[in-house]
Amino acid sequence: MFVSLEGPDGVGKTTQAALLAERLRATGLEVVQCREPGGTGLGERVRAVLLDPEATMGDRAEALLFAAARAELTEAVIAPALARGAWVVCDRFIDSSLVYQGLARGLGLESIRAVSLFATGGVLPARTLVLHGVDRRDDEPDRMEAAGADFHARVAEGFLELAALEPDRVRLIDARGSVDEVAARIEQALEDLRP
Ligand code: TMP
């Protein structure tokens, strides 16, 4: 079973991804936890370039680098894990590209969807949890976080738009409140997928 956690920067999804993986493991399931971009030797190197505040690149190059990292992670880690019946919990996946590059950068949802599905060979999460409603960004922004308030407003809106387009797969999770309260909302949104 493949689950991704998504949302704007600083919404708390990395904490929740780790807690979800822990809860699933406690029930005896094999869980592979990963993050995007990253999770492979190549992916971590591409991540360093993409987030380097000193790096400059055009929007299309940026989109293709995210896609390259995703292709590697899917082939080397996610597809083999799914094939042996493990759960995969991924901190960001295709929807980050749809929102950040497709909507916020303005490259278009359909072209980014096509590039991303080419990268993953069609692999998509069974459920995507979009956390929203808070901003706990710290004060040392990486290249993406430094993209400006307008850009991040488009990102926040873009995730809501995406959830409305694919309500079955993409579920909105209110990220306000305590870590435990948010975790409980996540559990509820996965109830029908649990063994
Ligand atoms: P994070 O893993 O710390 O959230 O940082 C990843 C940053 O990269 C974050 O700002 C979102 C951005 N991003 C994209 O713009 N497109 C993508 O496809 C992915 C996976 C991340």
Side-chain angles (χ1 to χ4, degrees), residues 23-71:
R23 289 195 302 276
L24 291 167
R25 276 191 198 109
T27 68
L29 294 166
E30 185 199 349
V31 182
V32 172
Q33 209 192 327
C34 48
R35 70 166 177 183
E36 269 234 280
T40 63
L42 176 74
E44 291 296 331
R45 291 170 79 169
V46 170
R47 178 186 181 88
V49 172
L50 278 164
L51 300 188
D52 180 356
E54 304 292 312
T56 55
M57 67 188 76
D59 293 347
R60 287 166 193 271
E62 177 185 283
L64 291 168
L65 285 171
F66 278 116
R70 179 163 309 129

Side-chain angles (χ1 to χ4, degrees), residues 6-13 92 100 130-134 137 152 155-157 159:
E6 295 276 7
D9 294 84
V11 79
K13 69 191 162 32
R92 299 193 182 280
Y100 283 78
V130 170
L131 276 62
H132 74 109
V134 296
R137 265 180 290 170
H152 287 286
V155 166
E157 242 172 61
F159 275 116

Side-chain angles (χ1 to χ4, degrees), residues 136-160:
R136 302 191 190 94
R137 265 180 290 170
D138 55 32
D139 43 354
E140 265 196 50
D142 61 38
R143 194 184 62 85
M144 296 301 296
E145 286 167 343
D150 281 1
F151 179 80
H152 287 286
R154 288 200 295 279
V155 166
E157 242 172 61
F159 275 116
L160 303 182

Side-chain angles (χ1 to χ4, degrees), residues 39-148:
T40 63
L42 176 74
E44 291 296 331
R45 291 170 79 169
V46 170
R47 178 186 181 88
V49 172
L50 278 164
L51 300 188
D52 180 356
E54 304 292 312
T56 55
M57 67 188 76
D59 293 347
R60 287 166 193 271
E62 177 185 283
L64 291 168
L65 285 171
F66 278 116
R70 179 163 309 129
E72 189 69 7
L73 181 68
T74 306
E75 188 176 322
V77 177
I78 294 176
L82 295 175
R84 60 176 190 270
W87 276 61
V88 174
V89 175
C90 199
D91 184 345
R92 299 193 182 280
F93 200 65
I94 188 168
D95 301 282
S96 279
S97 282
L98 294 176
V99 170
Y100 283 78
Q101 282 68 51
L103 296 174
R105 293 285 193 223
L107 292 174
L109 217 43
E110 288 322 312
S111 43
I112 296 299
R113 195 189 300 277
V115 167
S116 296
L117 288 175
F118 171 75
T120 69
V123 172
L124 260 183
R127 180 108 346 124
T128 296
L129 308 169
V130 170
L131 276 62
H132 74 109
V134 296
D135 185 348
R136 302 191 190 94
R137 265 180 290 170
D138 55 32
D139 43 354
E140 265 196 50
D142 61 38
R143 194 184 62 85
M144 296 301 296
E145 286 167 343

